[in-house]
Amino acid sequence: MSNTDQTLANLLQEDRRFDPPAELAAHANLTAEAYDRAAADREGFWAAQAERITWAEPFTQVLDWSDPPFAKWYVGGKLNAAYNCVDRHVEAGRGDKVAIHFVGEPVGDTRSITYAELQDLVSQAANALTDLGVAAGDRVAIYMPMIPEAVVTMLACARIGAPHTVVFGGFSSDALASRLEDCQAKVVVTADGGYRRGAASALKPAVDEARTKAETLGHTVEKVLVVRRTGQEVEWDDSVDVWWHDAVDGASTQHTPEAFDAEHPLYVMYTSGTTGKPKGILHTTGGYLVGCSYTHWAVFDLKDDDVYWCTADIGWVTGHSYIVYGPLANGVTQVLYEGTPDSPERGRWWDIIEQHGVTIFYTAPTAIRSFMKQGREIPDARDLSSLRLLGSVGEPINPEAYVWYRHVIGGDRTPVVDTWWQTETGSIMISPLPGVTAGKPGSAMIPIPGVAAEVVDEEGKPVPNGSGGYLVLTEPWPSMLRTIWGDDERFKETYWSRFAKQGYYFAGDGAKKDSDGDLWVLGRVDDVMNVSGHRLSTTEIESALVSHPKVAEAAVVGAKDEDTGQAVCAFVILREEAGDGGDDIVAELRKHVRKEIGPIATPRQIMIVPELPKTRSGKIMRRLLRDVAENREVGDVTTLADSSVMDLISSGLSGGKGDE
Ligand code: WTA
């Protein structure tokens, strides 16, 4: 966004509203009064939320913001995160409650773990890590499939005060090596492999390679702890490698958790920055745990008998906050699924919901759109009536995908909470409250009680309703990142320099306020196009395309254009039932966008493609699509989940169809 006087064109109209179910509203954990209560005394509000957590020593000050942007929350407080997630539930007499229903990808491979069993497992792992030489403050890297041992390891690290860094199991050995080096990990916990897409996929070889590479970077990993999951053949180095079943299974189930300072580092999560070295986002213990626990309880309206399922991988922040720390601090029963949604067949997720009676389901728009593409017959063939609340995270959810999610998956009963947050924010910042908010498809609505956000212009002034600008957080919050690991300067520069004068946090998203003042996150500011002087959001045009009955998914990029500065180029995946879309599909879609948004947004080009290039966390890599749209050689594809996608797109295009 370069000009100051222009605002994001607010073109898409959305009039559908979904009121909270009466029953839910009547018993909601958080009601409308909380907004005022929090605004009147923000620190007092956060002090009250901290009572959700068990403190070994009480804090003496809620927030120390004397040296911004370096915050200290719950000053003087001491706690143990693992104790809060496990032991205290057992002490409260809930040891027999199931914490985790593990569902392996191979059908029938299931295991239920109660809180009492989890306490034993975490204690054993904590003892084993201590025996391997891990002490408080040492870093432990975790490179594992979605199996209970991954959760156990994270909690064991937290229990002994050793910050973990979970590296997504789909990342390469190079990515792992640079993270091992950056945070100087002493120990790596991994598995021989895990099950994905119906086959055993190896993990240990990448750790071996990463260890060698880290060595060349001057860093030595001391030990590698290996879970036997698939039984596949592994290379073994006796001086380094240790089997989990040797080190952990025989360890004592007795372990006394030590209380750590509220600001003791809990974990480092690397975000895949678009350029340069990945940023190690540091989260600390007290504020983070309060933020996760509070938001998980408030936004999902958590009740004691809920069965919760978040489909994220523990390699992402969503897995940290909404599989491990939030849900377990709240003593929830949850599903943990190892594999892919379509293994052994496309209805797998819906089978799991039916089998376990899942009541709260939290997933990403990219998954929802892929199910839309397959058609509703697949979920319709399952009993999904246990669901009472649906959540979405990771990118803007198009109104059509929201409505499909609510109707087809939620049986038109369930509220959908569209939750905006980031690795950096640690927990949900902007979201409807399911018992309060009338849902508006495509809008994340307003900040939750306790959080202060604004949409501002270049000068940092709030924009009026109906306008767009930069999304900022205007007050510190407990689960905020504390720094970038080892790089305080980069932390200040990246997040706090853009609106330094106002002291606002800015992490790169554009948003608009609609006429009611509700927020629409429009994606990263670099996803904003300028067509003939009009600012257009890629998200809005994508939503318009996805609202066409033949379209399953769309990605829009701005390509250089001699006439208009930038022109709209769309890549579209059709729904299966639409076949090849018919001869006039491109004209039909252009007309549709013209009707939905207006002539200015009409794509110059529409390319019908079989797949879109996505990162492993499901974000569309628009950079690569821009290369295609501008007829350049396609750039670096190494962070794609499936690197053959770009070949598919190119071969589809050379088939002649689509381009106008
Ligand atoms: C995007 C994932 C719109 C946004 C929790 C943000 C969203 C980035 C939403 C963070 C949402 C996440 N609506 N956009 N509900 N949720 N985003 O760090 O661009 O992997 O800045 O954290 O995802 O991605 P991250």
Side-chain angles (χ1 to χ4, degrees):
M1 294 194 200
S2 48
N3 300 332
T4 54
D5 51 347
Q6 288 179 332
T7 54
L8 274 162
N10 181 8
L11 300 171
L12 209 61
Q13 281 302 323
E14 176 58 60
D15 299 319
R16 288 168 289 193
R17 298 286 179 279
F18 298 101
D19 284 326
E23 174 68 16
L24 196 158
H27 302 102
N29 288 348
L30 218 52
T31 57
E33 71 59 54
Y35 289 104
D36 293 337
R37 180 157 48 97
D41 177 10
R42 198 173 306 279
E43 286 186 22
F45 183 82
W46 283 118
Q49 299 320 311
E51 285 168 25
R52 304 183 55 77
I53 295 305
T54 304
W55 299 85
E57 266 176 48
F59 51 90
T60 52
Q61 187 186 354
V62 181
L63 168 66
D64 175 356
W65 192 232
S66 58
D67 180 26
F70 299 97
K72 292 197 180 87
W73 280 88
Y74 305 120
V75 181
K78 285 199 159 81
L79 74 165
N80 186 288
Y83 171 84
N84 271 281
C85 289
V86 184
D87 305 56
R88 64 171 178 155
H89 307 310
V90 180
E91 288 172 11
R94 287 183 286 145
D96 291 338
K97 182 171 179 178
V98 171
I100 296 174
H101 286 298
F102 170 65
V103 180
E105 194 185 81
V107 174
D109 175 16
T110 57
R111 175 182 173 197
S112 291
I113 300 170
T114 64
Y115 275 94
E117 288 164 342
L118 189 60
Q119 184 180 29
D120 286 351
L121 291 168
V122 173
S123 297
Q124 287 179 307
N127 283 322
L129 286 172
T130 305
D131 288 346
L132 290 178
V134 179
D138 289 341
R139 272 80 63 204
V140 174
I142 300 176
Y143 185 71
M144 292 176 91
M146 286 283 289
I147 56 177
E149 288 82 354
V151 177
V152 167
T153 304
M154 289 167 73
L155 292 170
C157 288
R159 197 176 182 94
I160 60 175
H164 53 70
T165 186
V166 184
V167 179
F168 176 55
F171 274 140
S172 65
S173 59
D174 281 335
L176 179 57
S178 67
R179 287 157 173 76
L180 294 178
E181 193 275 331
D182 190 75
C183 75
Q184 302 280 300
K186 190 168 189 177
V187 165
V188 181
V189 185
T190 188
D192 49 359
Y195 292 98
R196 288 197 75 73
R197 293 178 215 290
S201 122
L203 282 172
K204 173 74 165 47
V207 175
D208 297 341
E209 279 177 42
R211 205 157 56 76
T212 311
K213 285 175 189 158
E215 201 75 51
T216 66
L217 300 171
H219 173 66
T220 302
V221 170
E222 291 180 16
K223 292 286 174 195
V224 177
L225 184 59
V226 190
V227 175
R228 184 181 277 152
R229 166 70 183 141
T230 58
Q232 61 204 119
E233 200 67 44
V234 289
E235 298 266 327
W236 206 255
D237 177 346
D238 277 326
S239 66
V240 178
D241 297 328
V242 182
W243 281 114
W244 176 282
H245 50 259
D246 290 336
V248 180
D249 289 0
S252 166
T253 55
Q254 300 303 310
H255 183 275
T256 309
E258 185 187 334
F260 295 100
D261 190 87
E263 286 297 336
H264 188 80
L266 183 62
Y267 69 82
V268 178
M269 171 92 241
Y270 287 88
T271 60
S272 46
T274 39
T275 51
K277 181 170 133 177
K279 297 175 288 202
I281 303 300
L282 175 68
H283 284 291
T284 58
T285 308
Y288 175 78
L289 205 59
V290 171
C292 292
S293 166
Y294 158 65
T295 50
H296 182 255
W297 169 84
V299 173
F300 298 106
D301 193 49
L302 188 74
K303 300 290 195 255
D304 197 41
D305 55 357
D306 272 317
V307 179
Y308 166 84
W309 183 17
C310 166
T311 66
D313 192 282
I314 45 135
W316 311 119
V317 74
T318 305
H320 284 54
S321 301
Y322 297 107
I323 293 177
V324 181
Y325 292 106
L328 295 177
N330 291 340
V332 79
T333 293
Q334 70 178 317
V335 169
L336 182 77
Y337 174 53
E338 177 185 29
T340 44
D342 51 359
S343 191
E345 42 108 16
R346 289 160 154 195
R348 187 71 196 275
W349 277 12
W350 319 127
D351 285 338
I352 293 172
I353 290 178
E354 180 174 323
Q355 278 155 17
H356 289 279
V358 172
T359 58
I360 303 174
F361 184 60
Y362 192 28
T363 194
T366 179
I368 298 164
R369 288 192 302 264
S370 78
F371 296 127
M372 285 172 77
K373 174 169 133 194
Q374 293 164 7
R376 65 176 295 162
E377 301 70 37
I378 300 168
D380 278 352
R382 273 82 181 180
D383 178 4
L384 304 180
S385 60
S386 58
L387 289 171
R388 67 177 195 89
L389 188 72
L390 301 174
S392 170
V393 61
E395 53 178 318
I397 181 167
N398 327 91
E400 263 351 277
Y402 175 114
V403 171
W404 189 92
Y405 192 29
R406 186 187 153 97
H407 279 256
V408 176
I409 305 304
D412 212 10
R413 301 176 310 277
T414 57
V416 173
V417 288
D418 174 10
T419 62
W420 179 86
W421 59 292
Q422 306 176 300
T423 303
E424 292 86 344
T425 70
S427 62
I428 294 167
M429 300 280 106
I430 302 176
S431 169
L433 288 182
V436 178
T437 319
K440 199 184 267 188
S443 171
M445 307 304 286
I446 59 172
I448 59 168
V451 173
E454 245 312 342
V455 182
V456 298
D457 64 15
E458 295 277 337
E459 267 82 55
K461 291 202 202 65
V463 302
N465 288 355
S467 303
Y470 301 95
L471 181 59
V472 296
L473 297 169
T474 59
E475 299 284 345
W477 65 100
S479 65
M480 63 199 286
L481 77 165
R482 297 303 195 262
T483 190
I484 294 176
W485 185 257
D487 202 343
D488 287 349
E489 275 314 308
R490 191 176 178 197
F491 167 63
K492 288 200 252 183
E493 172 60 30
T494 308
Y495 303 108
W496 302 92
S497 64
R498 182 66 186 78
F499 297 105
K501 206 168 85 204
Q502 297 83 356
Y504 293 164
Y505 165 87
F506 173 62
D509 281 339
K512 73 179 186 194
K513 284 188 208 164
D514 67 15
S515 51
D516 301 321
D518 294 324
L519 301 178
W520 294 67
V521 179
L522 298 170
R524 312 295 300 177
V525 286
D526 49 15
D527 290 344
V528 173
M529 292 173 288
N530 194 323
V531 181
S532 306
H534 292 264
R535 272 133 202 272
L536 300 174
S537 141
T538 54
T539 306
E540 282 189 317
I541 305 175
E542 285 164 5
S543 290
L545 284 162
V546 175
S547 73
H548 188 283
K550 287 183 184 167
V551 174
E553 190 157 6
V556 165
V557 296
K560 283 199 191 67
D561 188 280
E562 287 195 351
D563 296 329
T564 57
Q566 279 187 308
V568 179
C569 292
F571 295 78
V572 169
I573 304 180
L574 296 178
R575 294 198 193 198
E576 278 175 19
E577 71 255 24
D580 72 354
D583 288 344
D584 298 330
I585 181 70
V586 171
E588 195 176 322
L589 293 179
R590 295 182 83 226
K591 206 170 124 206
H592 181 71
V593 174
R594 179 183 288 263
K595 178 171 90 26
E596 291 290 307
I597 303 186
I600 182 67
T602 311
R604 179 184 77 185
Q605 261 175 309
I606 294 181
M607 304 177 228
I608 308 293
V609 294
E611 267 310 331
L612 289 171
K614 286 181 190 156
T615 64
R616 293 180 171 94
S617 63
K619 294 203 197 313
I620 293 170
M621 289 191 69
R622 291 196 172 70
R623 171 169 65 76
L624 299 179
L625 294 175
R626 237 173 264 132
D627 290 342
V628 174
E630 297 184 341
N631 296 316
R632 267 194 308 274
E633 192 164 322
V634 172
D636 182 21
V637 295
T638 51
T639 57
L640 279 179
D642 174 1
S643 56
S644 64
V645 164
M646 291 314 293
D647 297 336
L648 268 176
I649 291 177
S650 314
S651 62
L653 295 179
S654 58
K657 181 140 193 197
D659 209 336
E660 275 216 342

